[in-house]
Amino acid sequence: MEKRLDHPQLPGRARSLVARRRLLTEAFERRTGALDRSEDFRSLDILDAAAQCLITAVPADVWCAVLLDPATMLDTGGQHEHGFSERVMPRLFEIEHAEQAGADNIRALARRSAPASLLSRTMEGQIDSSVYYQDVLRPEGLTDELRVLLRDGRRTRGLLVLCRARGSAPFTSADVGLAAALSVPAARSLRSSFLLAGIDRADVPDAPGLVILDEDCRLRYVSPTADYWLGTIQERHGASARTLPLAVCAIAAGVRGVPSGHQITSRLHSSTGCWLTCHAWHTGTHCDTAQRNNKTPQDEPLTYISIGPSHPGELTAIVLDAYGLTVRERQIAQLVLIGRSTSQVAAALHISSYTVQDHLRKIFDKAGVRSRREFTGELFLRHYLPYLAEPPLSTDGRMRPTP
């Protein structure tokens, strides 16, 4: 018997799109449901599942999937086996992170209500005038690009990029609609995958390492500890082995957009389950090839990146946000975790004890526990978060400055 659609009032073509969107999200849920039963799946596996499901429904000649730091919109890893060639990646990072140019730049797309965008449509038929098309797509023999942000609320956690080559059929409105359907489910699965991290028991010193890059993002120096942490960044590539993860290249490109001596910070979720914090800064002024040839080694601009485990106190907000708690629920959860009673929480937040209890029931349901003791054990044993009494944290894990 044929399955009846929930939207019989829609025209045939629209009903077909609704059905395809449903099939796509159901396929993704089945795939991630199987992952959820595994003991060692990572956020990269969620990202890969989203990409594979979308590619099945919307074929592409070149595609990649990128994990993004919600705080900085910088790459923190990804699936690049079927992505752009190495020759265009330095220019892509310049456009995306240093210049922040292009009509469908990640940051521009994040400001729109729709999560999916087609470059040719954004450019209103003038795609040839796009700097991204001129410097990235056209050299690769590609004619158009479809992007979808993996976004849950205001937080962007990933990006899927699909490109069609010359001779392939153009993307359609239905393709854009299908891509948009994966935005929220994939973002929520990424958020949940962050909960799998346990206490970091790595055999390397609990300290950051140093990476030094030249102006062309070539490795000049990497300390042994940094080399270890670089190897834990969640990325997959094709047969040609990389000497540096693309996530680190993105951070290096991003720091070029700030004055010399200033630094930017980004966080990455490693394959070991722990969070890594990267601090990047640069010296000197970046220049073109002709100017470079006239410079002495002492004048050469260098980029420095410190990479190491995030301080436990930085991670509280990330973990609470991963459970999907509201702002009020996070406030109550943090007070409960440092031992405040119901009446003390009510007094601190100027709400009734009944309201506190109602919020606690919702918190426990989201965390999959039944009591304060279980909730505390869940976070402390799995996430090693002993610094909740420090100043308030933002939802991306950064310490807010004290007023």
Side-chain angles (χ1 to χ4, degrees):
M1 183 175 178
E2 184 178 352
K3 186 175 180 180
R4 184 177 177 182
L5 294 172
D6 293 336
H7 302 276
Q9 75 280 12
L10 296 175
R13 176 178 278 177
R15 285 204 306 271
S16 175
L17 178 58
V18 169
R20 290 177 66 196
R21 287 167 64 102
R22 180 184 300 162
L23 290 172
L24 176 60
T25 54
E26 287 176 352
F28 174 70
E29 288 167 359
R30 285 195 300 272
R31 208 159 181 158
T32 53
L35 288 172
D36 200 26
R37 292 189 290 272
S38 171
E39 295 182 356
D40 59 353
F41 89 89
R42 302 163 294 169
S43 51
L44 181 59
D45 297 312
I46 295 290
L47 190 71
D48 190 54
Q52 295 290 349
C53 288
L54 182 57
I55 289 299
T56 300
V58 183
D61 298 298
V62 168
W63 62 270
C64 61
V66 182
L67 291 167
L68 296 173
D69 179 353
T72 63
M73 303 296 283
L74 289 168
D75 304 43
T76 64
Q79 168 60 276
H80 299 283
E81 289 178 300
H82 308 279
F84 299 105
S85 66
E86 294 290 324
R87 62 176 179 160
V88 299
M89 289 309 298
R91 180 58 182 144
L92 187 152
F93 283 135
E94 285 180 359
I95 295 172
E96 201 74 61
H97 298 300
E99 300 172 6
Q100 297 185 19
D104 280 353
N105 183 275
I106 295 173
R107 292 158 183 84
L109 188 54
R111 292 192 292 268
R112 302 175 196 164
S113 57
S117 183
L118 189 61
L119 183 59
S120 59
R121 189 168 299 173
T122 302
M123 295 300 297
E124 299 179 341
Q126 303 297 318
I127 193 171
D128 285 349
S129 63
S130 164
V131 64
Y132 184 83
Y133 174 78
Q134 294 169 5
D135 294 357
V136 178
L137 297 184
R138 187 162 58 191
E140 295 284 272
L142 303 172
T143 58
D144 208 352
E145 181 179 273
L146 170 60
R147 289 187 168 197
V148 56
L149 293 179
L150 307 184
R151 183 169 63 192
D152 179 17
R154 291 181 299 173
R155 296 181 185 86
T156 300
R157 304 177 189 277
L159 173 73
L160 303 181
V161 177
L162 284 67
C163 299
R164 294 262 173 96
R166 297 187 187 97
S168 295
F171 289 110
T172 66
S173 297
D175 293 334
V176 178
L178 281 172
L182 270 184
S183 176
V184 172
R188 288 178 177 169
S189 291
L190 283 174
R191 184 185 68 188
S192 299
S193 72
F194 296 151
L195 298 175
L196 295 181
I199 298 173
D200 177 26
R201 302 187 184 280
D203 294 329
V204 299
D206 188 17
L210 180 65
V211 178
I212 302 177
L213 308 175
D214 67 12
E215 192 168 8
D216 295 317
C217 207
R218 290 189 297 249
L219 197 61
R220 284 301 181 88
Y221 170 78
V222 57
S223 69
T225 301
D227 190 48
Y228 171 81
W229 293 122
L230 290 174
T232 69
I233 293 176
Q234 298 191 60
E235 285 190 358
R236 293 178 185 144
H237 297 278
S240 59
R242 291 189 55 83
T243 57
L244 199 63
L246 289 175
V248 176
C249 291
I251 295 166
V255 79
R256 294 183 184 181
V258 303
S260 176
H262 290 66
Q263 73 174 26
I264 63 172
T265 300
S266 184
R267 256 178 291 282
L268 294 74
H269 197 237
S270 76
S271 60
T272 66
C274 75
W275 284 87
L276 303 176
T277 295
C278 287
H279 300 288
W281 65 99
H282 71 87
T283 60
T285 303
H286 295 274
C287 54
D288 59 30
T289 303
Q291 289 174 314
R292 258 180 248 171
N293 293 335
N294 296 324
K295 281 184 173 287
T296 65
Q298 291 77 11
D299 297 324
E300 182 184 18
L302 297 173
T303 298
Y304 298 83
I305 299 174
S306 166
I307 180 171
S310 301
H311 189 278
E314 294 179 291
L315 304 181
T316 305
I318 292 176
V319 173
L320 294 182
D321 180 57
Y323 282 112
L325 305 187
T326 66
V327 173
R328 178 62 86 186
E329 288 167 355
R330 284 198 298 271
Q331 292 172 338
I332 292 172
Q334 291 201 22
L335 290 171
V336 166
L337 287 167
I338 59 176
R340 301 293 188 266
S341 66
T342 298
S343 60
Q344 288 172 329
V345 173
L349 299 179
H350 307 290
I351 56 179
S352 69
S353 295
Y354 175 82
T355 301
V356 172
Q357 293 287 7
D358 186 56
H359 280 303
L360 282 174
R361 282 193 291 272
K362 295 175 182 176
I363 292 168
F364 294 161
D365 285 344
K366 291 178 179 180
V369 299
R370 294 171 295 178
S371 66
R372 293 175 183 235
R373 179 176 294 180
E374 287 184 12
F375 183 61
T376 302
E378 167 79 2
L379 265 70
F380 275 74
L381 291 178
R382 291 184 65 184
H383 302 288
Y384 192 49
L385 304 171
Y387 299 104
L388 288 171
E390 291 185 7
L393 301 171
S394 65
T395 56
D396 58 49
R398 294 179 177 219
M399 300 295 294
R400 289 197 180 98
T402 302

